[in-house]
Amino acid sequence: MEGVTDSGLATLPASDRPDVAARLRTALLGASFTADGLLELLGAPAYAALARSETVPALRATRGDTPLEMLVRLFLLQQPVPHARVADTLPVDGLLESGWLVRAGSDEVAATVDVRPYGGPEGEDWFIVSDLGCAVGGAGGIGQRHEGVVLGVGGASTTLAGITVRTPVSAALDLGTGSGIQALHAAQHATRVTATDLNPRALHITALTLALSGAPAADLREGSLFEPVKEGESYDLIVSNPPFVISPGARLTYRDGGMSGDDLCRSLVQQAGERLAEGGFAQFLANWQHVAGEDWQDRVRSWVPRGCDAWIVQREVQDVNQYAELWLRDSGDHRGDVAEYQARYDAWLDEFEARKVKGVGFGWITLRRTDAADPVITVEEWPHSIEQPLGETIRTHFDRLDYLRAHDDADLLEGHFRLAVEVVQEQVGLPGAEDPEHVVLRQHRGMRRATKVDTVGAGFAGVCDGSLSAGRIIDAIAQLMGEDPVLLRDRTPAQIRLLVEQGFLEPAG
């Protein structure tokens, strides 16, 4: 495929020159143009400033003449560099011919795309390609954005990559691939990767990202949502960081879904079930409306397709003013004409008012195809800190659902349990008091939950090492406390069930 362009955007490098991409990759690695190399060169403060769209510290840190400094100026900071200097480090003739570079003036060259080093989960050195101005920075980092622009790595991208379940699978689907970061991750544990996008420019850039990162090529398909999926195709993993922004109109392809309200996210979730293979996972980032007189949990719970367990986590809620301001800044509208900015802001609020929307929630949705007779849908708000990557925590959450579904209270009493790794007990009470007011179990991994337990629950969890059955432990606690063991056996399984569901206790075989 030759280089492609979009009105107002630069021509892209050709994606059918794997030889050039391989030579460029070798040269970049040879100059330590990697995530670790950048951190060492720039230092943590300048490196962090790039994520805030501030390039001055990085420009100051790259005033020397080393190959790495030249590459940072060229591919991250969009600075022309001397042709002769580039030729010492890069296969410049091939890069000019295939469109990675263009001539700038008589003796300089400039990049046609951003290339950002990105560290993979196992220490891989990858490169994410994006449109100029999109490799660094967040909201509004490139001024007013063009509708067809393809962004680089952002917080949403890394969040989705971190929560994705990473078990080996036969087939994975990345819906709305953008710059290809999710497809790149999936290629490490999926035999076959399909990546789709409504924007053909995004598919082209995904091909460049995969080639420059040394990853296998993906099956690239143009279309919206599940339209490119063929009849009868199913996937073991579906991931999507969709254009979920709830906005008036669909001005920007990379973020605006073009459907009313949160209908795009609803459609995406509802249609995923029939495309999932048995036991497969579908994982999405999403927005949902908080509508006056309606429980937001009921709203998103209604999206879950039949035959699927679900875990829906709301990480943040913004009022409609905050939400409109966030995305107006994202598109750079705050830097343009004041009257136009105010008119767009007003249109946003008109839309929300018409639908009685008071706020917008943001979070993640995980589906697991189970076909069980009694699917479990968990919807919760969790704005607290977590430990990424969270994929294994999410996988084991659904494993525990299977265990609890298959074991009634009598089975739980016969079961053996272990306290999960890095769970600690905290006692809260007045100094000097004989007994604590309450006992808290706290996780230091994964979701980092904390839950109050009574004396029985604390004692039970404290001795769970897998050696004794739950029933025998409860009997021993009853004897120590002078309680009726039959009554204790009746009331304790509910607490055990909750501690297992939330990951404080794990079945021991």
Side-chain angles (χ1 to χ4, degrees):
M1 185 188 301
E2 296 297 325
V4 299
T5 189
D6 197 353
S7 178
L9 293 171
T11 300
L12 295 174
S15 61
D16 56 356
R17 293 293 304 273
D19 56 322
V20 176
R23 288 159 58 201
L24 175 56
R25 172 178 172 79
T26 299
L28 296 177
L29 294 176
S32 296
F33 188 66
T34 63
D36 288 341
L38 257 63
L39 183 59
E40 183 176 352
L41 170 68
L42 302 178
Y47 194 67
L50 289 177
R52 303 191 301 269
S53 308
E54 298 294 347
T55 58
V56 172
L59 286 167
R60 291 173 60 86
T62 57
R63 290 180 293 191
D65 198 36
T66 66
L68 180 55
E69 289 170 303
M70 179 271 295
L71 292 174
V72 172
R73 293 196 299 272
L74 180 65
F75 284 119
L76 275 182
L77 304 178
Q78 288 84 63
Q79 302 295 306
V81 297
H83 180 284
R85 187 70 190 90
V86 175
D88 291 338
T89 304
L90 300 177
V92 65
D93 291 339
L95 297 178
L96 285 167
E97 178 192 355
S98 59
W100 288 90
L101 300 177
V102 292
R103 295 190 179 276
S106 59
D107 60 353
E108 290 185 317
V109 296
T112 58
V113 289
D114 276 349
V115 176
R116 175 174 171 175
Y118 179 79
E122 302 298 328
E124 302 95 339
D125 288 315
W126 293 339
F127 301 96
I128 308 299
V129 179
S130 61
D131 271 312
L132 290 174
C134 298
V136 300
I142 60 171
Q144 288 197 316
R145 289 180 171 170
H146 184 273
E147 63 178 12
V149 72
V150 179
L151 303 189
V153 180
S157 301
T158 55
T159 294
L160 179 58
I163 68 172
T164 300
V165 176
R166 298 294 176 195
T167 53
V169 295
S170 296
L173 173 64
D174 176 16
L175 282 176
T177 186
S179 61
I181 181 174
Q182 309 305 330
L184 179 56
H185 276 279
Q188 311 309 305
H189 63 102
T191 303
R192 176 173 58 88
V193 176
T194 300
T196 73
D197 206 289
L198 183 63
N199 183 3
R201 189 176 183 86
L203 297 176
H204 191 109
I205 283 182
T206 291
L208 297 176
T209 289
L210 295 174
L212 194 57
S213 298
D219 179 4
L220 304 176
R221 303 180 189 176
E222 183 179 344
S224 177
L225 299 181
F226 288 100
E227 287 176 3
V229 176
K230 300 173 184 176
E231 185 72 26
E233 283 185 322
S234 64
Y235 297 87
D236 308 291
L237 175 67
I238 300 173
V239 294
S240 183
N241 176 19
F244 54 66
V245 176
I246 301 169
S247 61
R251 190 160 58 100
L252 299 172
T253 304
Y254 73 88
R255 68 165 207 198
D256 300 327
M259 295 186 185
S260 175
D262 51 17
D263 282 354
L264 182 136
C265 291
R266 176 185 55 79
S267 298
L268 185 64
V269 174
Q270 288 180 337
Q271 295 173 22
E274 61 189 276
R275 274 82 174 187
L276 276 178
E278 172 68 21
F281 286 91
Q283 299 186 265
F284 314 109
L285 300 186
N287 272 179
W288 41 81
Q289 297 175 146
H290 284 227
V291 179
E294 177 184 274
D295 187 328
W296 73 267
Q297 294 194 4
D298 291 341
R299 184 181 188 87
V300 294
R301 186 179 284 110
S302 71
W303 295 358
V304 177
R306 295 181 61 184
C308 289
D309 291 331
W311 186 12
I312 301 171
V313 180
Q314 179 169 274
R315 295 287 289 156
E316 182 182 4
V317 183
Q318 292 184 326
D319 65 48
V320 292
N321 299 327
Q322 292 173 311
Y323 190 81
E325 290 163 14
L326 169 66
W327 295 110
L328 286 167
R329 288 181 175 274
D330 170 83
S331 55
D333 288 304
H334 63 302
R335 296 176 176 173
D337 180 75
V338 173
E340 187 175 351
Y341 171 81
Q342 292 177 340
R344 284 181 172 159
Y345 197 150
D346 204 38
W348 226 302
L349 297 185
D350 282 344
E351 283 279 312
F352 284 134
E353 185 177 345
R355 292 196 294 268
K356 299 181 180 180
V357 176
K358 303 301 182 183
V360 179
F362 168 81
W364 64 69
I365 297 174
T366 299
L367 307 177
R368 198 272 304 265
R369 180 69 180 268
T370 176
D371 290 327
D374 52 346
V376 177
I377 301 174
T378 303
V379 184
E380 63 177 319
E381 186 165 13
W382 192 256
H384 313 293
S385 66
I386 60 170
E387 182 192 47
Q388 285 274 39
L390 204 66
E392 183 62 12
T393 297
I394 291 176
R395 186 192 67 79
T396 56
H397 166 86
F398 287 94
D399 285 347
R400 293 193 302 272
L401 290 186
D402 284 342
Y403 177 86
L404 293 172
R405 187 160 36 212
H407 293 77
D408 61 19
D409 288 354
D411 294 329
L412 290 184
L413 294 175
E414 293 297 321
H416 294 238
F417 301 92
R418 280 192 297 265
L419 192 66
V421 175
E422 293 194 34
V423 171
V424 298
Q425 177 179 300
E426 300 173 357
Q427 297 187 1
V428 181
L430 294 173
E434 183 176 345
D435 295 313
E437 293 179 14
H438 58 261
V439 178
V440 174
L441 297 182
R442 186 179 301 278
Q443 300 168 346
H444 282 242
R445 303 287 299 274
M447 293 292 286
R448 293 177 174 164
R449 295 187 187 277
T451 188
K452 290 182 182 179
V453 291
D454 60 17
T455 304
V456 174
F460 181 86
V463 297
C464 277
D465 61 3
S467 60
L468 297 176
S469 70
R472 289 188 61 186
I473 294 174
I474 291 170
D475 290 344
I477 292 174
Q479 185 174 3
L480 286 172
M481 298 179 63
E483 293 203 25
D484 185 336
V486 175
L487 294 178
L488 206 58
R489 277 175 170 256
D490 283 343
R491 76 168 193 256
T492 304
Q495 193 166 189
I496 296 174
R497 193 171 291 275
L498 179 64
L499 292 175
V500 171
E501 180 182 343
Q502 294 190 342
F504 290 94
L505 294 179
E506 299 172 346

